[in-house]
Amino acid sequence: MSELRRESLRNVVLISSAGAGKTSLAEAMLFATGAVPHLGSIALGTTISDFEPEELHRRSSASTSLLRCSWNHTTINLIDPPGLLNMPGETALALRAADAVILVVGASAGIRNDLTRVWSRITAHGLPCLLFLNEMDKDDASLDGVVAMCQRDLGIVPLPMSLPYGRGNQLEGVLDLLQQRVITSSIEIPTFQHLAIPEQIRTVVKDARKRIQEAVAERDDRLLEQYLAEEELTQEDLMNGLRFGVQTSTIVPLYSGSAIKNIGIVPLLNGIVDFLPSPMDRASKVPLEGLHPDTGETVSRRAVDEDPFSGIVFKTLIDPFVGRLSYLRVLSGVLHADSPVFNSSQRSKEKSGHLYWVLGKKHTVVPSAGAGEIVAVGKLKDTQTGDTLCDEHILICYPKTVLPKPVLSFAIEPKSNADIEKISLGLHKLIEEDPTLEFSRHADTKEMVLSGMGQLHIDLALEKLHRKYGAEVTIHVPKIPYRETIRTTSQAQGKYKKQTGGHGQYADCWLELSPLARGEGFKFESKVIGGAIPRNFIPAVEKGAVEAMHHGSLAGFPLVDCRVAVYDGSYHPVDSSEMAFKIAASMGFKKAVESAHPVLLEPMMTVEVEAPADHIGSVIGDLNARRGRILHVEARDQTEQITALVPMAELLTYSTALNSLTAGRGSYAMDFSRYDEVPPELAVRIIEAQRAETHAAAH
Ligand SMILES: Nc1nc2c(ncn2[C@@H]2O[C@H](COP(=O)(O)OP(=O)(O)O)[C@@H](O)[C@H]2O)c(=O)[nH]1
Ligand SMILES: [Mg+2]
């Protein structure tokens, strides 16, 4: 049994736009708490959190890391996910494992759209939040600017708990408003100096403290009375009031500092311990509800060791050598190493291997993990990211995390034949680790297509594919799965007659083609009367038509949405055969299509773009230029959401385009909507190009 008292446990996730300093802050917290002897840096590639080769050479996180440290007799599990823009799925999953959030904002970059979007998820989960204003060592850092942005973009008024001591590169430390002292630190040794507050800034501190007192007093009638009478709250009332305010999400404390200079870390650590909830605190407010996987009934668990075991897997790591590690948040009960569990998402029996506490790539074996803990579980066979694990007899399945859908696709080709098998094997493993990647072989175009959340996401996946599974690929924009259809009704005869030596081949059928509504595919009927074609040959006629539909007459794309009726024909008692009727039907079909006004269809996507209001004009203009039809525009606080129907062919490079149109502040999601006719001028060009390609391939 772990020695840990769960009341003194904090599970926090770091959230920010890419590059605001999450990984650096995590490193500073490890250093300040003595979990590591040296302060690692992103620039030197020496942080505990970023250790995979893809992260080191990019100097940026590529997957969620788990870290662990201890402060004031409290264990802190820190979850450090990668960038929101390219890998929003990792953050969405990490939120399920945490009881609170540290929002990291870069003092010069401020709040970007991706953060605004994830903020709505944080509030939906009801997660309490601390704000860390990083990069206060930069000359253009502005505390007031960021406070104003928080109010405007997130609708929160952060309450400063510490203030920078010194400015820009003269930043020496922070003013700790609760303890009323100056704290300075060093990046060489993890000790801190506490100094008295210098005379000349006493009034600044006094005013800031007054704001904290007021914020607490405002939320409690008894305290308000006391405050109005005496203008001071006791330290105990103050701390209790802050804890209550934070845990009910009515107060968001703001800490200032610099991660790379190890400044401002102590007040933040104190805030985590003093104000953020333990797993038990939170579970008493948010019940752990799920469904029984067999009966569908709502069932619930309490976050205590005495309840049956249940938990959620929020990350999977597959290492070709070490095997599989599933990062698990235990929600209720106790999980023991090497014991049977039930995966209620996959409905399969599992057996846990070793359990580990995780510090970056370092693992410490533990015999068990109780309610509220986060551990890595070894050797789970079928368990995937997002799955619920529970007691093998007392079942519960928690709701799945809704993950964003991929927006960018590439066709991939093996560099050599030796790579073919490795690709699909490796990609399937990568998808188990990261469910926001998608891999498929397109039925129409026969291409292998990899889809992800952005260029960086795809690049990372391919690098891992090479490093871990030895498969090398080249990528190119995927082919558009065009289709063909007909616009009018037509009739034609298909007649197949061959006289060779002995007995010949004979079949004759009359077909009528008519257009079907979009998406209806194919329908067949026989209107043959009086046995003009014997009944046993009718299925062969249908088969012939279906085969002919695989390759339309315009450019060889599949033909869809067409009804075929056979209404007349003739046969020969000896020479007719199924094969002959199939060929005749195929010939008749092709002939009929020619007079049925065949047209080209293209896939249309519903696109939802979110962009800052001041960029909306150029985003809409660009969508129009992409032959898009704007369906709906909705104003949000500072952003607007545009819904448009846009041809897939115009969206292949949209992620780069939107980025440059909105200075990286726009985002989008898309989904297949339907097939629409390609405008005639464009259709001519596509058909020509496709014919040329087919011709070249044949010679
Ligand atoms: N000047 C300055 N740079 C910082 C600070 N914190 C992080 N950085 C730098 O900002 C970049 C991004 O930091 P990182 O921790 O990787 O951010 P993440 O993407 O949020 O994990 C790195 O080059 C860091 O060295 C800071 O407090 N001050
Ligand atoms: Mg990072």
Side-chain angles (χ1 to χ4, degrees), residues 334-345:
V334 180
L335 173 66
H336 298 278
D338 305 306
S339 56
V341 291
F342 188 72
N343 180 327
S344 47
S345 309

Side-chain angles (χ1 to χ4, degrees), residues 666-683:
S667 70
Y668 70 109
M670 63 181 180
D671 227 343
F672 170 74
S673 166
R674 58 168 195 240
Y675 272 87
D676 267 1
E677 245 177 72
V678 180
E681 343 55 87
L682 196 63

Side-chain angles (χ1 to χ4, degrees), residues 290-540:
L291 296 180
H292 192 288
D294 294 334
T295 64
E297 270 173 273
T298 301
V299 276
S300 66
R301 298 282 179 270
R302 293 169 308 146
V304 293
D305 287 357
E306 291 70 32
D307 260 23
F309 160 70
S310 69
I312 295 183
V313 173
F314 63 97
K315 178 186 164 74
T316 310
L317 256 177
I318 301 176
D319 189 286
F321 305 108
V322 183
R324 200 181 172 102
L325 276 181
S326 308
Y327 286 25
L328 176 86
R329 161 71 193 255
V330 181
L331 290 168
S332 66
V334 180
L335 173 66
H336 298 278
D338 305 306
S339 56
V341 291
F342 188 72
N343 180 327
S344 47
S345 309
Q346 312 283 347
R347 292 167 166 273
S348 65
K349 286 187 178 166
E350 281 275 26
K351 185 163 177 280
S352 68
H354 287 329
L355 306 182
Y356 310 90
W357 285 345
V358 181
L359 179 63
K361 60 180 167 187
K362 206 178 110 193
H363 299 105
T364 311
V365 176
V366 290
S368 65
E373 263 283 15
I374 295 177
V375 283
V377 186
K379 299 226 172 69
L380 293 171
K381 287 194 312 294
D382 308 321
T383 298
Q384 299 186 0
T385 305
D387 286 356
T388 300
L389 296 182
C390 63
D391 184 290
E392 59 173 335
H393 300 300
I394 310 173
L395 310 186
I396 185 168
C397 189
Y398 294 107
K400 277 241 172 209
T401 305
V402 182
L403 291 174
K405 287 200 166 177
V407 294
L408 186 65
S409 297
F410 283 101
I412 57 179
E413 267 176 60
K415 271 206 176 149
S416 75
N417 278 344
D419 291 313
I420 298 176
E421 230 171 82
K422 292 185 212 156
I423 291 177
S424 111
L425 187 91
L427 281 176
H428 280 114
K429 298 259 182 213
L430 288 182
I431 289 166
E432 285 179 38
E433 291 184 292
D434 178 355
T436 58
L437 280 173
E438 257 177 44
F439 173 60
S440 60
R441 186 180 288 272
H442 199 285
D444 285 6
T445 64
K446 305 284 182 284
E447 284 180 323
M448 290 193 281
V449 178
L450 180 66
S451 311
M453 304 306 303
Q455 184 75 49
L456 179 66
H457 192 210
I458 302 258
D459 289 351
L460 279 169
L462 295 179
E463 259 181 69
K464 273 196 191 167
L465 182 67
H466 185 205
R467 174 172 65 89
K468 289 183 153 183
Y469 305 101
E472 278 200 272
V473 300
T474 52
I475 58 171
H476 53 83
V477 288
K479 286 186 191 148
I480 301 297
Y482 292 107
R483 291 183 175 171
E484 301 180 14
T485 192
I486 53 167
R487 287 185 62 171
T488 56
T489 300
S490 73
Q491 297 176 333
Q493 180 187 27
K495 189 166 181 179
Y496 180 59
K497 193 173 171 187
K498 215 163 191 184
Q499 214 59 57
T500 46
H503 95 75
Q505 296 281 353
Y506 182 89
D508 167 28
C509 59
W510 281 88
L511 301 181
E512 181 179 87
L513 309 192
S514 46
L516 286 176
R518 201 63 66 241
E520 281 195 43
F522 170 74
K523 284 190 179 143
F524 180 84
E525 74 187 303
S526 168
K527 294 184 186 167
V528 174
I529 38 172
I533 300 173
R535 201 175 294 155
N536 57 321
F537 289 136
I538 299 292

